[in-house]
């Protein structure tokens, strides 16, 4: 399941973050990947655990957790502190798959069930740089407005195409979900979305209470905490 989540960050939050990031030093993006990823990764990122990365990461994490669509789709149990990266001048990240277990400083390891990118550059700011995700339904290219997010299974093969003009800045992170399987999360999201739509039209009758009960019983059966 790939899902576009609009308006995770407000315009003023994006503007403030970009100003802070333009005044900082970036490191080689290969610092956070293994030997296989290092062969195809050419970009820059904030140093993991740096004061600025932690400060801005807390803003991103809080905005995601407060977003009802993100919470319903991802059902987050643990969120890895967000990273920040930049692509320019032909930089890219070739086809790869995210590691299954992500270590974090001072905390328990996180199983990467869901990958998330929050865009901090508007599409008109750069050429190229599409996030390309390959799954059983084909190849999907993503290039969203600043402040919007995309979530997709961490098990997907994906890449960031070369940026040939301008600069692509984004935050990216991994989430361990309460529900490990992507298809189960997709079913729960569809059920939750339709329950909310029916409640808005018809209120909370006996049938709505029963459907809500089915949702929570499925979540109770599948959730890991």
């Amino acid at each position: 399941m790939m899902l576009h989540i609009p308006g995770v960050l407000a315009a003023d939050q994006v503007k403030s973050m970009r100003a802070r990031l333009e005044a900082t030093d970036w490191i080689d993006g290969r610092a956070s990947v293994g030997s296989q990823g290092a062969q195809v990764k050419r970009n820059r990122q904030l140093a993991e655990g740096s004061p600025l990365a932690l400060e801005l990461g807390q803003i991103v994490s809080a905005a995601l957790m407060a977003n009802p669509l993100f919470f319903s789709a991802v059902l987050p149990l643990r969120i890895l502190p967000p990273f920040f990266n930049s692509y320019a001048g032909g930089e890219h990240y070739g086809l790869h798959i995210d590691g299954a277990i992500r270590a974090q400083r001072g905390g328990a390891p996180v199983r990467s069930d869901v990958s998330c990118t929050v865009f901090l550059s508007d599409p008109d700011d750069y050429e190229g740089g599409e996030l390309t995700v390959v799954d059983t339904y084909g190849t999907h290219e993503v290039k969203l407005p600043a402040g919007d997010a995309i979530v997709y299974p961490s098990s997907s093969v994906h890449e960031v195409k070369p940026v040939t003009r301008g600069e692509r800045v984004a935050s990216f992170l991994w989430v361990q979900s309460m529900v490990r399987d992507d298809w189960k999360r997709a079913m729960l999201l569809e059920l939750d979305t339709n329950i909310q739509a029916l409640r808005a039209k018809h209120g909370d009758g006996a049938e709505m209470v029963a459907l809500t009960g089915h949702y929570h019983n499925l979540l109770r059966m599948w959730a890991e905490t």
Side-chain angles (χ1 to χ4, degrees):
M1 175 180 62
M2 290 186 65
L3 183 66
H4 172 198
I5 303 177
V8 170
L9 295 174
D12 59 337
Q13 290 178 305
V14 172
K15 182 178 180 181
S16 175
M17 284 188 181
R18 287 299 305 273
R20 301 285 301 281
L21 291 170
E22 287 171 5
T24 194
D25 294 323
W26 301 90
I27 65 169
D28 191 324
R30 289 173 289 187
S32 63
V33 296
S35 59
Q36 188 178 77
Q39 297 178 49
V40 295
K41 186 176 186 180
R42 297 293 183 272
N43 71 351
R44 292 153 294 136
Q45 65 187 42
L46 289 188
E48 181 180 2
S50 69
L52 183 59
L54 293 175
E55 178 188 345
L56 298 185
Q58 288 176 352
I59 296 172
V60 172
S61 294
L64 287 168
M65 290 297 287
N67 186 285
L69 181 55
F70 175 83
F71 196 91
S72 181
V74 176
L75 296 170
L77 178 62
R78 298 187 183 94
I79 295 183
L80 198 73
F83 290 76
F84 294 83
N85 60 16
S86 172
Y87 293 81
E91 291 176 321
H92 62 282
Y93 194 172
L95 286 171
H96 65 284
I97 191 166
D98 294 331
I101 305 296
R102 311 293 307 193
Q104 62 172 325
R105 299 182 181 185
V110 173
R111 187 184 67 232
S112 58
D113 297 322
V114 180
S115 298
C116 176
T117 297
V118 180
F119 289 80
L120 299 176
S121 299
D122 279 314
D124 292 342
D125 293 342
Y126 60 99
E127 291 181 0
E130 295 85 358
L131 171 65
T132 304
V133 180
V134 182
D135 61 22
T136 55
Y137 299 101
T139 300
H140 315 277
E141 290 192 345
V142 181
K143 193 172 183 179
L144 299 179
D148 288 13
I150 187 76
V151 296
Y152 57 96
S154 299
S155 55
S156 304
V157 175
H158 55 282
E159 67 178 324
V160 176
K161 297 285 191 177
V163 172
T164 57
R165 178 189 63 82
E167 183 181 21
R168 176 195 190 271
V169 181
S171 177
F172 64 100
L173 60 137
W174 293 275
V175 184
Q176 180 172 333
S177 176
M178 289 182 281
V179 176
R180 180 192 300 246
D181 294 332
D182 178 59
W183 69 272
K184 291 179 180 176
R185 291 195 303 272
M187 287 175 62
L188 288 167
L189 174 62
E190 184 176 8
L191 182 56
D192 187 27
T193 300
N194 282 286
I195 286 172
Q196 298 307 319
L198 287 170
R199 287 186 70 197
K201 287 183 179 180
H202 305 293
D204 286 317
E207 296 85 358
M208 198 58 54
V209 172
L211 283 174
T212 303
H214 280 300
Y215 172 86
H216 284 285
N217 286 332
L218 285 172
L219 183 56
R220 186 175 291 111
M221 181 169 59
W222 291 337
E224 305 169 3
T225 60

Coordinates of all heavy atoms in Angstrom, one line a residue, residues 124-185:
D124 N 8.4 22.1 -8.4 CA 9.0 23.0 -9.4 C 10.4 23.5 -9.0 O 11.1 24.1 -9.8 CB 8.1 24.3 -9.5 CG 6.7 24.0 -10.1 OD1 6.6 22.9 -10.8 OD2 5.8 24.7 -9.9
D125 N 10.8 23.1 -7.8 CA 12.1 23.6 -7.3 C 13.3 22.7 -7.9 O 14.4 23.1 -7.8 CB 12.2 23.5 -5.8 CG 11.3 24.5 -5.1 OD1 10.9 25.4 -5.7 OD2 11.1 24.3 -3.9
Y126 N 12.9 21.6 -8.5 CA 14.0 20.7 -9.0 C 13.4 19.8 -10.1 O 12.2 19.6 -10.2 CB 14.6 19.8 -7.9 CG 13.6 18.9 -7.2 CD1 13.4 17.6 -7.5 CD2 12.7 19.4 -6.2 CE1 12.5 16.8 -6.9 CE2 11.8 18.6 -5.6 CZ 11.7 17.3 -5.9 OH 10.8 16.5 -5.3
E127 N 14.4 19.3 -10.9 CA 14.0 18.4 -12.0 C 14.6 17.0 -11.6 O 15.7 17.0 -11.0 CB 14.5 18.8 -13.3 CG 13.8 20.1 -13.9 CD 14.3 20.5 -15.2 OE1 15.2 19.9 -15.8 OE2 13.8 21.5 -15.7
G128 N 13.9 16.0 -12.0 CA 14.3 14.6 -11.6 C 14.0 14.4 -10.1 O 13.0 15.0 -9.6
G129 N 14.7 13.5 -9.5 CA 14.5 13.3 -8.0 C 13.2 12.6 -7.7 O 12.8 12.6 -6.5
E130 N 12.6 11.9 -8.6 CA 11.3 11.2 -8.3 C 11.7 10.0 -7.4 O 12.6 9.3 -7.6 CB 10.6 10.7 -9.5 CG 10.1 11.8 -10.5 CD 11.1 12.3 -11.4 OE1 12.3 11.8 -11.4 OE2 10.8 13.2 -12.3
L131 N 10.9 9.8 -6.3 CA 10.9 8.6 -5.6 C 10.2 7.5 -6.4 O 9.0 7.7 -6.7 CB 10.3 8.8 -4.2 CG 10.0 7.5 -3.4 CD1 11.4 6.9 -3.0 CD2 9.2 7.8 -2.2
T132 N 10.9 6.5 -6.8 CA 10.3 5.4 -7.6 C 10.2 4.1 -6.8 O 11.2 3.6 -6.3 CB 11.2 5.2 -8.9 OG1 11.3 6.5 -9.5 CG2 10.5 4.2 -9.8
V133 N 9.0 3.6 -6.7 CA 8.8 2.4 -5.9 C 8.3 1.3 -6.8 O 7.4 1.5 -7.6 CB 7.7 2.7 -4.8 CG1 7.5 1.4 -3.9 CG2 8.2 3.8 -3.9
V134 N 8.9 0.2 -6.7 CA 8.6 -1.0 -7.5 C 7.9 -2.0 -6.6 O 8.4 -2.4 -5.6 CB 9.8 -1.6 -8.1 CG1 9.5 -2.8 -9.1 CG2 10.6 -0.6 -8.9
D135 N 6.7 -2.4 -7.0 CA 6.0 -3.5 -6.3 C 5.3 -4.4 -7.3 O 5.5 -4.3 -8.5 CB 5.0 -2.9 -5.3 CG 3.9 -2.0 -6.0 OD1 3.6 -2.2 -7.2 OD2 3.3 -1.2 -5.3
T136 N 4.4 -5.3 -6.8 CA 3.8 -6.3 -7.7 C 2.8 -5.6 -8.7 O 2.4 -6.3 -9.6 CB 3.0 -7.3 -6.8 OG1 2.1 -6.6 -6.0 CG2 4.0 -8.1 -6.0
Y137 N 2.5 -4.4 -8.5 CA 1.6 -3.7 -9.4 C 2.3 -2.8 -10.4 O 1.6 -2.1 -11.1 CB 0.5 -2.9 -8.6 CG -0.3 -3.8 -7.7 CD1 0.0 -3.8 -6.3 CD2 -1.4 -4.5 -8.1 CE1 -0.8 -4.7 -5.5 CE2 -2.1 -5.3 -7.3 CZ -1.8 -5.4 -6.0 OH -2.5 -6.2 -5.1
G138 N 3.6 -2.8 -10.4 CA 4.4 -2.0 -11.3 C 5.3 -1.0 -10.6 O 5.7 -1.2 -9.5
T139 N 5.7 0.0 -11.4 CA 6.6 1.0 -10.9 C 5.8 2.3 -10.8 O 5.1 2.8 -11.7 CB 7.7 1.2 -11.9 OG1 8.4 0.0 -12.1 CG2 8.7 2.3 -11.5
H140 N 6.0 3.0 -9.6 CA 5.2 4.2 -9.3 C 6.2 5.3 -9.0 O 7.1 5.2 -8.1 CB 4.4 3.9 -8.0 CG 3.6 2.6 -8.1 ND1 2.4 2.5 -8.8 CD2 3.9 1.4 -7.6 CE1 2.0 1.2 -8.7 NE2 2.9 0.6 -7.9
E141 N 6.1 6.4 -9.6 CA 6.9 7.6 -9.4 C 6.2 8.6 -8.5 O 5.0 8.9 -8.8 CB 7.3 8.2 -10.7 CG 8.3 7.4 -11.5 CD 8.9 8.1 -12.6 OE1 8.4 9.2 -13.0 OE2 10.0 7.6 -13.2
V142 N 6.9 9.2 -7.5 CA 6.3 10.1 -6.6 C 7.1 11.4 -6.5 O 8.3 11.3 -6.3 CB 6.2 9.4 -5.2 CG1 5.5 10.4 -4.2 CG2 5.4 8.1 -5.2
K143 N 6.4 12.5 -6.6 CA 7.0 13.8 -6.5 C 6.0 14.7 -5.9 O 5.1 15.2 -6.7 CB 7.6 14.3 -7.8 CG 8.5 15.4 -7.8 CD 9.1 15.7 -9.1 CE 10.2 16.8 -9.1 NZ 10.8 17.0 -10.4
L144 N 6.0 15.0 -4.6 CA 4.9 15.7 -4.0 C 5.2 17.1 -3.6 O 6.4 17.5 -3.4 CB 4.5 14.9 -2.7 CG 4.0 13.4 -3.0 CD1 3.7 12.7 -1.6 CD2 2.8 13.4 -3.9
P145 N 4.2 17.9 -3.3 CA 4.4 19.3 -2.8 C 5.1 19.3 -1.4 O 5.0 18.3 -0.7 CB 3.0 19.8 -2.6 CG 2.1 19.0 -3.6 CD 2.7 17.6 -3.5
A146 N 5.8 20.3 -1.1 CA 6.5 20.5 0.2 C 5.4 20.4 1.3 O 4.4 21.0 1.2 CB 7.2 21.8 0.2
G147 N 5.8 19.6 2.3 CA 4.9 19.4 3.4 C 4.0 18.2 3.3 O 3.5 17.7 4.3
D148 N 4.0 17.5 2.1 CA 3.2 16.3 1.9 C 4.1 15.1 2.2 O 5.4 15.2 2.1 CB 2.6 16.2 0.5 CG 1.5 17.2 0.3 OD1 1.3 18.0 1.2 OD2 0.8 17.0 -0.7
A149 N 3.5 14.0 2.5 CA 4.3 12.7 2.8 C 3.8 11.6 1.9 O 2.6 11.6 1.5 CB 4.1 12.4 4.3
I150 N 4.6 10.6 1.7 CA 4.3 9.4 1.1 C 4.7 8.3 2.0 O 5.8 8.3 2.6 CB 4.9 9.2 -0.3 CG1 4.4 8.0 -1.0 CG2 6.4 9.2 -0.2 CD1 3.0 8.1 -1.6
V151 N 3.8 7.3 2.2 CA 4.2 6.1 3.0 C 4.0 4.9 2.1 O 3.1 4.8 1.3 CB 3.3 5.9 4.3 CG1 3.6 7.1 5.2 CG2 1.8 5.8 4.0
Y152 N 4.9 3.9 2.3 CA 4.9 2.7 1.5 C 5.6 1.6 2.2 O 6.4 1.9 3.2 CB 5.6 3.0 0.1 CG 7.0 3.5 0.2 CD1 8.1 2.6 0.1 CD2 7.3 4.8 0.4 CE1 9.4 3.1 0.2 CE2 8.6 5.3 0.5 CZ 9.6 4.4 0.3 OH 10.9 4.9 0.4
P153 N 5.4 0.3 1.9 CA 6.0 -0.8 2.6 C 7.6 -0.7 2.5 O 8.1 -0.5 1.4 CB 5.5 -2.0 1.9 CG 4.2 -1.6 1.3 CD 4.5 -0.2 0.8
S154 N 8.2 -0.9 3.6 CA 9.7 -0.9 3.6 C 10.2 -2.1 2.8 O 11.4 -2.1 2.5 CB 10.2 -0.9 5.0 OG 9.8 0.2 5.7
S155 N 9.4 -3.1 2.6 CA 9.8 -4.3 1.8 C 9.9 -4.0 0.3 O 10.4 -4.8 -0.5 CB 8.9 -5.4 2.1 OG 7.5 -5.1 1.8
S156 N 9.5 -2.8 -0.1 CA 9.5 -2.5 -1.6 C 10.9 -2.1 -2.0 O 11.6 -1.4 -1.3 CB 8.6 -1.3 -1.8 OG 7.3 -1.6 -1.4
V157 N 11.2 -2.5 -3.2 CA 12.5 -2.0 -3.9 C 12.1 -0.6 -4.4 O 11.1 -0.3 -5.0 CB 12.9 -2.9 -5.1 CG1 14.0 -2.3 -5.8 CG2 13.2 -4.3 -4.5
H158 N 13.1 0.4 -4.2 CA 12.8 1.7 -4.5 C 14.1 2.5 -4.8 O 15.2 2.0 -4.5 CB 12.0 2.5 -3.5 CG 12.6 2.4 -2.1 ND1 12.6 1.3 -1.3 CD2 13.3 3.4 -1.4 CE1 13.2 1.6 -0.1 NE2 13.6 2.8 -0.2
E159 N 14.0 3.7 -5.4 CA 15.1 4.5 -5.7 C 14.7 6.0 -5.7 O 13.5 6.3 -5.8 CB 15.8 4.1 -7.0 CG 14.9 4.4 -8.2 CD 15.6 4.0 -9.5 OE1 16.8 4.2 -9.6 OE2 14.9 3.5 -10.5
V160 N 15.7 6.9 -5.7 CA 15.5 8.3 -6.0 C 16.3 8.6 -7.2 O 17.5 8.4 -7.3 CB 16.0 9.2 -4.8 CG1 15.8 10.6 -5.2 CG2 15.2 8.9 -3.5
K161 N 15.6 9.1 -8.3 CA 16.2 9.4 -9.5 C 17.1 10.6 -9.4 O 17.0 11.4 -8.5 CB 15.1 9.7 -10.6 CG 14.1 8.6 -10.9 CD 14.8 7.5 -11.7 CE 13.7 6.6 -12.3 NZ 14.3 5.6 -13.2
P162 N 18.1 10.7 -10.3 CA 19.1 11.8 -10.3 C 18.4 13.2 -10.3 O 17.4 13.3 -11.1 CB 20.0 11.6 -11.5 CG 19.9 10.1 -11.8 CD 18.5 9.7 -11.4
V163 N 18.8 14.1 -9.5 CA 18.3 15.4 -9.6 C 19.2 16.2 -10.5 O 20.4 16.4 -10.3 CB 18.4 16.1 -8.2 CG1 18.0 17.6 -8.2 CG2 17.4 15.4 -7.2
T164 N 18.6 16.7 -11.6 CA 19.4 17.3 -12.7 C 19.3 18.9 -12.6 O 20.1 19.5 -13.3 CB 18.9 16.8 -14.0 OG1 17.5 17.1 -14.2 CG2 19.1 15.3 -14.2
R165 N 18.4 19.4 -11.8 CA 18.3 20.9 -11.6 C 17.8 21.1 -10.3 O 16.9 20.5 -9.8 CB 17.5 21.5 -12.7 CG 17.3 23.1 -12.5 CD 16.2 23.6 -13.4 NE 14.9 23.1 -13.2 CZ 14.1 23.6 -12.2 NH1 14.5 24.5 -11.3 NH2 12.9 23.1 -12.0
G166 N 18.3 22.2 -9.6 CA 17.8 22.5 -8.3 C 18.2 21.6 -7.2 O 19.2 20.8 -7.3
E167 N 17.5 21.6 -6.1 CA 17.8 20.8 -5.0 C 16.5 20.1 -4.4 O 15.5 20.8 -4.3 CB 18.4 21.6 -3.9 CG 18.9 20.8 -2.6 CD 19.5 21.7 -1.6 OE1 19.2 23.0 -1.6 OE2 20.2 21.2 -0.7
R168 N 16.6 18.9 -4.1 CA 15.5 18.1 -3.5 C 15.9 17.8 -2.0 O 16.8 17.1 -1.7 CB 15.3 16.8 -4.2 CG 14.2 15.8 -3.6 CD 14.4 14.5 -4.2 NE 13.4 13.5 -3.9 CZ 13.3 12.7 -2.9 NH1 14.3 12.8 -2.0 NH2 12.3 11.9 -2.7
V169 N 15.1 18.4 -1.1 CA 15.3 18.3 0.3 C 14.1 17.5 0.9 O 13.0 17.9 0.6 CB 15.5 19.6 1.0 CG1 15.8 19.4 2.5 CG2 16.7 20.4 0.4
A170 N 14.4 16.6 1.8 CA 13.3 15.8 2.3 C 13.7 15.3 3.7 O 14.9 15.2 4.1 CB 12.9 14.7 1.4
S171 N 12.7 14.8 4.4 CA 12.9 14.1 5.7 C 12.4 12.7 5.4 O 11.5 12.5 4.6 CB 12.1 14.7 6.8 OG 12.2 13.9 8.0
F172 N 13.1 11.7 5.9 CA 12.7 10.3 5.7 C 12.9 9.5 7.0 O 13.7 9.8 7.9 CB 13.5 9.6 4.6 CG 15.0 9.5 4.8 CD1 15.5 8.3 5.2 CD2 15.8 10.6 4.7 CE1 16.9 8.2 5.5 CE2 17.2 10.5 4.9 CZ 17.7 9.3 5.3
L173 N 12.0 8.5 7.2 CA 12.0 7.8 8.5 C 11.4 6.4 8.2 O 10.8 6.1 7.2 CB 11.2 8.5 9.5 CG 9.8 8.8 9.2 CD1 8.9 8.6 10.4 CD2 9.6 10.3 8.7
W174 N 11.5 5.6 9.3 CA 11.0 4.2 9.3 C 10.1 4.1 10.5 O 10.3 4.6 11.5 CB 12.0 3.2 9.3 CG 12.8 3.2 8.0 CD1 12.5 2.5 6.8 CD2 14.1 3.8 7.8 NE1 13.5 2.8 5.9 CE2 14.5 3.6 6.4 CE3 14.9 4.7 8.6 CZ2 15.6 4.1 5.9 CZ3 16.1 5.2 8.0 CH2 16.4 4.9 6.7
V175 N 9.0 3.3 10.3 CA 8.1 3.0 11.4 C 7.9 1.5 11.6 O 7.8 0.8 10.6 CB 6.7 3.7 11.0 CG1 5.7 3.5 12.2 CG2 6.8 5.1 10.7
Q176 N 7.9 1.1 12.8 CA 7.4 -0.2 13.2 C 5.9 -0.1 13.5 O 5.5 0.6 14.4 CB 8.2 -0.8 14.4 CG 7.7 -2.2 14.8 CD 8.6 -2.8 15.8 OE1 9.8 -2.5 15.9 NE2 8.1 -3.7 16.6
S177 N 5.1 -0.9 12.8 CA 3.7 -0.8 13.0 C 3.2 -1.8 14.0 O 3.8 -2.8 14.2 CB 3.0 -1.1 11.6 OG 1.6 -1.1 11.8
M178 N 2.1 -1.5 14.6 CA 1.4 -2.5 15.5 C 0.9 -3.7 14.7 O 0.8 -4.8 15.2 CB 0.2 -1.8 16.2 CG 0.6 -0.8 17.3 SD -0.8 -0.1 18.2 CE -1.4 1.1 17.0
V179 N 0.7 -3.5 13.4 CA 0.3 -4.5 12.5 C 1.4 -4.7 11.4 O 1.6 -3.9 10.6 CB -1.1 -4.2 11.8 CG1 -1.5 -5.3 10.8 CG2 -2.2 -4.0 12.9
R180 N 2.0 -5.9 11.5 CA 3.2 -6.1 10.7 C 2.9 -6.2 9.2 O 3.7 -5.7 8.4 CB 3.9 -7.4 11.2 CG 5.2 -7.8 10.4 CD 5.6 -9.2 10.8 NE 5.8 -9.4 12.2 CZ 7.0 -9.6 12.8 NH1 8.0 -9.8 12.0 NH2 7.1 -9.8 14.0
D181 N 1.8 -6.9 8.8 CA 1.6 -7.2 7.4 C 0.9 -6.0 6.7 O -0.1 -5.5 7.2 CB 0.7 -8.4 7.3 CG 1.3 -9.7 7.8 OD1 2.6 -9.8 7.8 OD2 0.6 -10.6 8.3
D182 N 1.5 -5.7 5.6 CA 0.9 -4.6 4.8 C -0.5 -4.8 4.4 O -1.3 -3.9 4.4 CB 1.8 -4.4 3.6 CG 1.3 -3.2 2.7 OD1 1.2 -2.1 3.2 OD2 1.0 -3.5 1.5
W183 N -0.9 -6.0 3.9 CA -2.2 -6.2 3.5 C -3.3 -6.1 4.6 O -4.4 -5.6 4.4 CB -2.4 -7.5 2.7 CG -2.2 -8.8 3.6 CD1 -1.1 -9.4 3.9 CD2 -3.3 -9.5 4.2 NE1 -1.3 -10.5 4.7 CE2 -2.7 -10.6 4.9 CE3 -4.7 -9.3 4.3 CZ2 -3.4 -11.5 5.7 CZ3 -5.4 -10.3 5.0 CH2 -4.8 -11.3 5.7
K184 N -2.8 -6.5 5.8 CA -3.7 -6.3 7.0 C -3.9 -4.8 7.3 O -5.0 -4.4 7.6 CB -3.2 -7.0 8.2 CG -3.2 -8.6 8.0 CD -2.7 -9.2 9.2 CE -2.7 -10.8 9.1 NZ -2.0 -11.4 10.2
R185 N -2.8 -4.0 7.2 CA -3.0 -2.6 7.4 C -3.9 -2.0 6.4 O -4.7 -1.1 6.7 CB -1.6 -1.9 7.4 CG -0.7 -2.3 8.6 CD 0.5 -1.3 8.7 NE 1.3 -1.3 7.5 CZ 2.3 -2.1 7.2 NH1 2.6 -3.0 8.1 NH2 3.0 -2.0 6.1

